[in-house]
Amino acid sequence: MEEAIQAQFDQAKHIVFLTGAGVSTASGIPDFRSANGLYTKDKNAEYYLSHRYFVSDPAGFYQFCKDNLYFPDAKPNVIHQKQAALTQQGRATVITQNIDGLYEKAGTKHLVNFHGTLERVYCEQCHQTVPVSDYLKSRLHASDGGNLRPDIVLYDEAIPEDAIQQSLAALSAADLVVIVGTSLKVYPFAGLVQYANPAAKLIAVNQEPLALPAGATMVTGDAVQFFDQLQVD
Ligand code: NAD
């Protein structure tokens, strides 16, 4: 860890983490676009995660979610834990594209689930929520036979308005923005960085280099190593 980077964290009062699937690969959840990623293995993954597909083939959608999205034994890693610690100190907000629930398990206090969460499941017919364990046993709501679905943002669905508002509020107050483990290919998430306070410093930590605005610091490498070394107290 470069001293200058540690100093930026030490001095920051309003850190915003913008994160993606690369935060959870060390917890055993594959990302989408790396060599082992879902999109690399299955070019139709974007279609299988659309509302169009959910409506046209509810059984196929259910099987795809169960086989590829749910990892009930996954545990938070040092990246989630150090970011959670900074939120508990009241110095950070996490805005994540991840839907895996690991930030909650790590005790993250100020968290925006930009693409929703797999941990909330509801019936599309009556909107009642059911436990995830029920969903993993059956795709149909026991009380009315409606199709159950996780509360995640599918490819042809809009980002919830409150997630956008909370993200913009955190970014406009930020003095340090840290992008971690995302290819920045999914919009509108990838455009959020433009709404950061112009005075905020920008750091990105990612296995592959990202195209960043001038003046930003790109740390190319494993985010586990970066957060292992980062002092947060
Ligand atoms: P992505 O697969 O497009 O990109 C992941 C990025 O993380 C890649 O650039 C990769 O090089 C990097 N990366 C992987 N492991 C890393 C590590 N240990 N250290 C540093 N960098 C690492 O993922 P995305 O940008 O988040 O977009 C994918 C979309 O899919 C999102 O919308 C998200 O909702 C969803 N998704 C979520 C999960 C999850 O919840 N864990 C997993 C897969 C996909």
Side-chain angles (χ1 to χ4, degrees):
M1 166 79 45
E2 271 181 41
E3 269 177 40
I5 293 181
Q6 181 67 55
Q8 288 186 355
F9 275 88
D10 294 344
Q11 286 155 18
K13 293 191 173 65
H14 302 285
I15 304 168
V16 172
F17 291 104
L18 291 172
T19 77
V23 163
S24 294
T25 51
S27 296
I29 303 179
D31 63 13
F32 274 3
R33 291 176 183 81
S34 294
N36 291 327
L38 194 55
Y39 285 9
T40 314
K41 286 193 287 191
D42 189 340
K43 305 286 178 226
N44 288 325
E46 234 170 83
Y47 173 61
Y48 291 141
L49 288 172
S50 67
H51 190 258
R52 213 156 38 104
Y53 181 59
F54 170 68
V55 172
S56 69
D57 181 5
F61 175 87
Y62 175 65
Q63 200 57 46
F64 187 86
C65 288
K66 268 205 347 178
D67 292 349
N68 295 291
L69 301 186
Y70 280 95
F71 294 84
D73 299 330
K75 295 193 174 53
N77 63 58
V78 67
I79 313 174
H80 303 99
Q81 285 157 357
K82 293 263 174 98
Q83 292 179 9
L86 288 164
T87 67
Q88 287 162 10
Q89 294 167 17
R91 292 208 290 137
T93 299
V94 175
I95 306 171
T96 189
Q97 297 168 89
N98 293 348
I99 51 181
D100 55 30
L102 293 186
Y103 274 114
E104 285 89 342
K105 285 191 186 151
T108 309
K109 266 188 106 176
H110 305 287
L111 174 65
V112 181
N113 283 319
F114 204 74
H115 291 163
T117 175
L118 291 165
E119 296 300 308
R120 183 174 176 276
V121 174
Y122 67 95
C123 171
E124 252 223 341
Q125 197 158 283
C126 71
H127 293 274
Q128 200 185 321
T129 56
V130 303
V132 174
S133 53
D134 286 7
Y135 181 56
L136 294 177
K137 284 185 209 125
S138 167
R139 72 179 171 85
L140 297 175
H141 192 194
S143 56
D144 64 4
N147 276 308
L148 299 172
R149 61 161 285 181
D151 192 6
I152 57 174
V153 179
L154 298 174
Y155 271 94
D156 41 10
E157 293 182 317
I159 306 294
E161 192 54 37
D162 58 341
I164 294 175
Q165 292 313 328
Q166 288 167 24
S167 301
L168 297 183
L171 282 162
S172 65
D175 51 10
L176 175 62
V177 175
V178 188
I179 297 169
V180 189
T182 170
S183 60
L184 284 186
K185 296 220 167 90
V186 177
Y187 281 82
F189 183 90
L192 281 176
V193 68
Q194 294 163 23
Y195 295 91
N197 177 350
K201 304 241 173 16
L202 178 62
I203 300 172
V205 185
N206 206 55
Q207 204 82 260
E208 52 175 7
L210 302 171
L212 298 174
T217 304
M218 181 70 231
V219 180
T220 306
D222 189 355
V224 169
Q225 199 186 332
F226 181 94
F227 280 89
D228 253 339
Q229 292 172 5
L230 182 73
Q231 311 276 340
V232 297
D233 44 24

